[in-house]
Short mmCIF file of all heavy atoms in Angstrom, two decimals:
data_model
loop_
_atom_site.label_atom_id
_atom_site.label_comp_id
_atom_site.label_asym_id
_atom_site.label_seq_id
_atom_site.Cartn_x
_atom_site.Cartn_y
_atom_site.Cartn_z
N GLY A 88 2.35 -4.96 -6.36
CA GLY A 88 2.74 -6.16 -5.65
C GLY A 88 1.58 -6.83 -4.91
O GLY A 88 1.79 -7.53 -3.94
N LEU A 89 0.36 -6.60 -5.40
CA LEU A 89 -0.82 -7.18 -4.77
C LEU A 89 -1.08 -8.57 -5.34
O LEU A 89 -0.56 -8.93 -6.39
CB LEU A 89 -2.03 -6.27 -5.01
CG LEU A 89 -1.86 -4.80 -4.59
CD1 LEU A 89 -3.13 -4.02 -4.89
CD2 LEU A 89 -1.50 -4.69 -3.12
N LEU A 90 -1.89 -9.34 -4.65
CA LEU A 90 -2.25 -10.67 -5.13
C LEU A 90 -3.26 -10.57 -6.26
O LEU A 90 -4.16 -9.72 -6.22
CB LEU A 90 -2.86 -11.49 -3.98
CG LEU A 90 -1.94 -11.74 -2.79
CD1 LEU A 90 -2.72 -12.44 -1.68
CD2 LEU A 90 -0.74 -12.56 -3.19
N SER A 91 -3.15 -11.44 -7.24
CA SER A 91 -4.08 -11.39 -8.36
C SER A 91 -5.45 -11.93 -7.96
O SER A 91 -5.56 -12.85 -7.16
CB SER A 91 -3.54 -12.17 -9.56
OG SER A 91 -3.60 -13.55 -9.30
N GLY A 92 -6.49 -11.32 -8.52
CA GLY A 92 -7.85 -11.77 -8.30
C GLY A 92 -8.34 -11.58 -6.87
O GLY A 92 -9.33 -12.18 -6.48
N ALA A 93 -7.66 -10.76 -6.09
CA ALA A 93 -8.02 -10.57 -4.69
C ALA A 93 -8.67 -9.20 -4.49
O ALA A 93 -8.43 -8.27 -5.24
CB ALA A 93 -6.77 -10.67 -3.81
N GLU A 94 -9.51 -9.09 -3.44
CA GLU A 94 -10.19 -7.84 -3.12
C GLU A 94 -9.42 -7.11 -2.02
O GLU A 94 -9.05 -7.71 -1.01
CB GLU A 94 -11.62 -8.10 -2.67
CG GLU A 94 -12.40 -6.83 -2.41
CD GLU A 94 -13.82 -7.09 -1.94
OE1 GLU A 94 -14.10 -8.19 -1.44
OE2 GLU A 94 -14.65 -6.17 -2.07
N TYR A 95 -9.21 -5.82 -2.24
CA TYR A 95 -8.48 -4.99 -1.28
C TYR A 95 -9.36 -3.84 -0.80
O TYR A 95 -10.19 -3.33 -1.55
CB TYR A 95 -7.22 -4.40 -1.92
CG TYR A 95 -6.12 -5.42 -2.05
CD1 TYR A 95 -6.06 -6.28 -3.13
CD2 TYR A 95 -5.15 -5.53 -1.06
CE1 TYR A 95 -5.07 -7.23 -3.23
CE2 TYR A 95 -4.15 -6.47 -1.16
CZ TYR A 95 -4.11 -7.31 -2.24
OH TYR A 95 -3.12 -8.26 -2.33
N ASN A 96 -9.16 -3.43 0.44
CA ASN A 96 -9.79 -2.24 1.00
C ASN A 96 -8.71 -1.16 1.06
O ASN A 96 -7.62 -1.39 1.57
CB ASN A 96 -10.34 -2.52 2.40
CG ASN A 96 -11.09 -1.33 2.94
OD1 ASN A 96 -11.86 -0.71 2.22
ND2 ASN A 96 -10.87 -1.01 4.19
N VAL A 97 -9.01 0.02 0.51
CA VAL A 97 -8.07 1.14 0.48
C VAL A 97 -8.72 2.32 1.19
O VAL A 97 -9.87 2.66 0.90
CB VAL A 97 -7.71 1.54 -0.97
CG1 VAL A 97 -6.72 2.70 -0.97
CG2 VAL A 97 -7.16 0.35 -1.73
N SER A 98 -7.97 2.96 2.10
CA SER A 98 -8.45 4.15 2.80
C SER A 98 -7.45 5.27 2.63
O SER A 98 -6.23 5.04 2.66
CB SER A 98 -8.63 3.87 4.30
OG SER A 98 -9.58 2.85 4.50
N VAL A 99 -7.96 6.50 2.45
CA VAL A 99 -7.11 7.67 2.27
C VAL A 99 -7.54 8.74 3.26
O VAL A 99 -8.73 8.99 3.43
CB VAL A 99 -7.22 8.22 0.83
CG1 VAL A 99 -6.36 9.46 0.65
CG2 VAL A 99 -6.83 7.15 -0.18
N ARG A 100 -6.56 9.38 3.90
CA ARG A 100 -6.82 10.45 4.85
C ARG A 100 -5.90 11.63 4.50
O ARG A 100 -4.71 11.45 4.29
CB ARG A 100 -6.54 9.97 6.27
CG ARG A 100 -6.75 11.02 7.33
CD ARG A 100 -6.28 10.55 8.70
NE ARG A 100 -6.82 9.26 9.04
CZ ARG A 100 -7.74 9.06 9.98
NH1 ARG A 100 -8.21 10.05 10.67
NH2 ARG A 100 -8.18 7.85 10.23
N ALA A 101 -6.47 12.83 4.46
CA ALA A 101 -5.69 14.05 4.21
C ALA A 101 -5.01 14.48 5.49
O ALA A 101 -5.58 14.35 6.59
CB ALA A 101 -6.60 15.16 3.69
N ILE A 102 -3.78 15.00 5.37
CA ILE A 102 -3.02 15.44 6.53
C ILE A 102 -2.58 16.89 6.31
O ILE A 102 -2.07 17.23 5.25
CB ILE A 102 -1.78 14.56 6.73
CG1 ILE A 102 -2.19 13.10 6.94
CG2 ILE A 102 -0.94 15.06 7.89
CD1 ILE A 102 -1.05 12.14 6.91
N THR A 103 -2.78 17.74 7.34
CA THR A 103 -2.24 19.10 7.34
C THR A 103 -1.22 19.17 8.46
O THR A 103 -0.97 18.18 9.16
CB THR A 103 -3.34 20.15 7.58
OG1 THR A 103 -3.77 20.05 8.93
CG2 THR A 103 -4.50 19.98 6.62
N THR A 104 -0.62 20.34 8.68
CA THR A 104 0.37 20.46 9.75
C THR A 104 -0.28 20.34 11.12
O THR A 104 0.39 20.04 12.09
CB THR A 104 1.10 21.81 9.65
OG1 THR A 104 0.13 22.85 9.65
CG2 THR A 104 1.96 21.87 8.42
N ALA A 105 -1.57 20.58 11.25
CA ALA A 105 -2.21 20.57 12.56
C ALA A 105 -3.40 19.63 12.68
O ALA A 105 -3.99 19.53 13.73
CB ALA A 105 -2.68 21.99 12.89
N PHE A 106 -3.75 18.88 11.60
CA PHE A 106 -5.01 18.16 11.64
C PHE A 106 -4.98 17.00 10.65
O PHE A 106 -4.36 17.10 9.60
CB PHE A 106 -6.15 19.13 11.29
CG PHE A 106 -7.52 18.55 11.38
CD1 PHE A 106 -8.13 18.34 12.59
CD2 PHE A 106 -8.21 18.21 10.22
CE1 PHE A 106 -9.40 17.80 12.68
CE2 PHE A 106 -9.48 17.67 10.29
CZ PHE A 106 -10.08 17.48 11.52
N GLN A 107 -5.66 15.93 10.98
CA GLN A 107 -5.89 14.85 10.02
C GLN A 107 -7.36 14.83 9.67
O GLN A 107 -8.21 14.88 10.56
CB GLN A 107 -5.50 13.50 10.62
CG GLN A 107 -4.03 13.30 10.75
CD GLN A 107 -3.69 11.87 11.10
OE1 GLN A 107 -4.57 11.04 11.29
NE2 GLN A 107 -2.41 11.58 11.18
N GLY A 108 -7.66 14.79 8.39
CA GLY A 108 -9.05 14.79 7.93
C GLY A 108 -9.70 13.44 8.10
O GLY A 108 -9.11 12.47 8.55
N SER A 109 -10.97 13.37 7.72
CA SER A 109 -11.71 12.12 7.81
C SER A 109 -11.23 11.15 6.72
O SER A 109 -10.65 11.55 5.73
CB SER A 109 -13.21 12.39 7.67
OG SER A 109 -13.47 12.99 6.43
N VAL A 110 -11.50 9.89 6.93
CA VAL A 110 -11.04 8.84 6.04
C VAL A 110 -12.07 8.58 4.95
O VAL A 110 -13.26 8.55 5.21
CB VAL A 110 -10.79 7.53 6.83
CG1 VAL A 110 -10.48 6.38 5.90
CG2 VAL A 110 -9.67 7.73 7.83
N SER A 111 -11.59 8.38 3.72
CA SER A 111 -12.43 7.90 2.62
C SER A 111 -11.90 6.54 2.21
O SER A 111 -10.69 6.35 2.14
CB SER A 111 -12.38 8.86 1.44
OG SER A 111 -13.02 10.06 1.75
N SER A 112 -12.79 5.60 1.93
CA SER A 112 -12.36 4.24 1.63
C SER A 112 -13.04 3.71 0.38
O SER A 112 -14.09 4.20 -0.03
CB SER A 112 -12.71 3.30 2.79
OG SER A 112 -12.06 3.69 3.96
N LEU A 113 -12.43 2.69 -0.21
CA LEU A 113 -13.03 1.96 -1.33
C LEU A 113 -12.54 0.53 -1.28
O LEU A 113 -11.56 0.22 -0.61
CB LEU A 113 -12.71 2.62 -2.67
CG LEU A 113 -11.25 2.74 -3.14
CD1 LEU A 113 -10.73 1.43 -3.70
CD2 LEU A 113 -11.17 3.80 -4.20
N LYS A 114 -13.24 -0.34 -2.00
CA LYS A 114 -12.83 -1.74 -2.14
C LYS A 114 -12.59 -1.99 -3.62
O LYS A 114 -13.36 -1.54 -4.46
CB LYS A 114 -13.90 -2.68 -1.61
CG LYS A 114 -14.08 -2.56 -0.12
CD LYS A 114 -15.19 -3.46 0.36
CE LYS A 114 -15.39 -3.24 1.84
NZ LYS A 114 -16.57 -3.92 2.33
N GLN A 115 -11.52 -2.72 -3.94
CA GLN A 115 -11.18 -2.98 -5.33
C GLN A 115 -10.52 -4.33 -5.47
O GLN A 115 -9.68 -4.70 -4.66
CB GLN A 115 -10.22 -1.89 -5.85
CG GLN A 115 -9.76 -2.10 -7.27
CD GLN A 115 -10.90 -2.07 -8.28
OE1 GLN A 115 -11.75 -1.22 -8.18
NE2 GLN A 115 -10.90 -2.99 -9.22
N TYR A 116 -10.89 -5.07 -6.52
CA TYR A 116 -10.24 -6.33 -6.86
C TYR A 116 -9.11 -6.06 -7.85
O TYR A 116 -9.17 -5.10 -8.63
CB TYR A 116 -11.23 -7.28 -7.56
CG TYR A 116 -12.17 -7.98 -6.64
CD1 TYR A 116 -13.42 -7.45 -6.34
CD2 TYR A 116 -11.83 -9.20 -6.08
CE1 TYR A 116 -14.29 -8.11 -5.50
CE2 TYR A 116 -12.70 -9.88 -5.23
CZ TYR A 116 -13.93 -9.33 -4.95
OH TYR A 116 -14.79 -9.98 -4.13
#
């Protein structure tokens, strides 16, 4: 459901029961 021809920033973070990991990101059209 994203816009066509547009650039997006995506970030992912791992989650455990006691901790959130560092964020990894990318940009994609």
Side-chain angles (χ1 to χ4, degrees):
L89 306 180
L90 298 175
S91 72
E94 184 181 21
Y95 284 85
N96 185 43
V97 180
S98 299
V99 178
R100 179 188 309 250
I102 300 170
T103 71
T104 55
F106 184 76
Q107 288 190 357
S109 60
V110 173
S111 291
S112 299
L113 62 79
K114 293 177 184 172
Q115 177 62 44
Y116 281 92

